[in-house]
Amino acid sequence: ALLAVGDPYIEEYVGSMVTIMDTEWGAVKCAMGEAVSIGPQAFGKLPGSYVILAVPPVSPSNDDVDWDDEVEKGQGESTDSLHYLQMGLRSTIRGCFQTIKAKTANSVEAIGIPTITTKPSNSSEVYHTCLNIVLETIIEESKLTNLKAVYLLASSGEEAKTLIKSASELGLAIASS
């Protein structure tokens, strides 16, 4: 989706980055929980001049649907799968904010962040827990910046409703767009 609204230079930038590991799924440019920045530059239809790329936690098999089911049932390779997922999500968001602060010298006033979650499911406790962790971490990290606005990019209307409800419960002001 990012490439569709950005421009071909995003793919070129990513391709030119140092590969830290080759996997069966492709070249790894950034470790899980860390982030890298490209820019400043105009990126097609994107309104910003920087793009921060981060790697959220992924399942050992790279099949997040199966992994989510295992986490939901308390099964899988790791008995601490949910804890691993939660800490990985926090680490990913924090890595993004650290990169923003380090690379942009606090000149960025607003950011857009897609929610990084497990599979969307209105009934999944893991899904809702992950959404809340991402939201809480964004709030914590935003307080340490000069940002004037943070835009959460939900993956669906239902996810947007869930985020608005959670944000309201946390006492945040909600702007419509």
Side-chain angles (χ1 to χ4, degrees), residues 40-114:
Q41 178 180 322
F43 293 105
K45 296 176 187 173
L46 294 175
S49 58
Y50 290 92
V51 174
I52 308 294
L53 304 168
V55 179
V58 294
S59 70
S61 67
N62 202 32
D63 184 345
D64 290 337
V65 172
D66 286 346
W67 193 42
D68 285 344
D69 291 339
E70 290 174 0
V71 170
E72 188 84 27
K73 295 173 187 167
Q75 303 170 342
E77 293 181 19
S78 170
T79 56
D80 295 325
S81 294
L82 182 57
H83 179 74
Y84 169 79
L85 181 60
Q86 292 171 341
M87 293 302 103
L89 288 169
R90 285 189 193 281
S91 178
T92 300
I93 297 297
R94 286 191 173 116
C96 290
F97 277 90
Q98 289 170 354
T99 300
I100 290 167
K101 287 185 266 186
K103 298 292 184 182
T104 65
N106 287 322
S107 64
V108 174
E109 294 183 353
I111 59 171
I113 301 176

Side-chain angles (χ1 to χ4, degrees), residues 1-2 5 46-48 50-52 93 110-117 120 127 131 134-135 138 149-161 163-164 175 177:
L2 183 61
V5 296
L46 294 175
Y50 290 92
V51 174
I52 308 294
I93 297 297
I111 59 171
I113 301 176
T115 55
I116 305 170
T117 61
Y127 171 69
L131 273 180
V134 168
L135 181 61
I138 289 170
V150 175
Y151 300 96
L152 292 177
L153 311 173
S155 64
S156 68
E158 285 302 312
E159 186 169 277
K161 288 177 189 176
L163 286 167
I164 290 168
S177 59

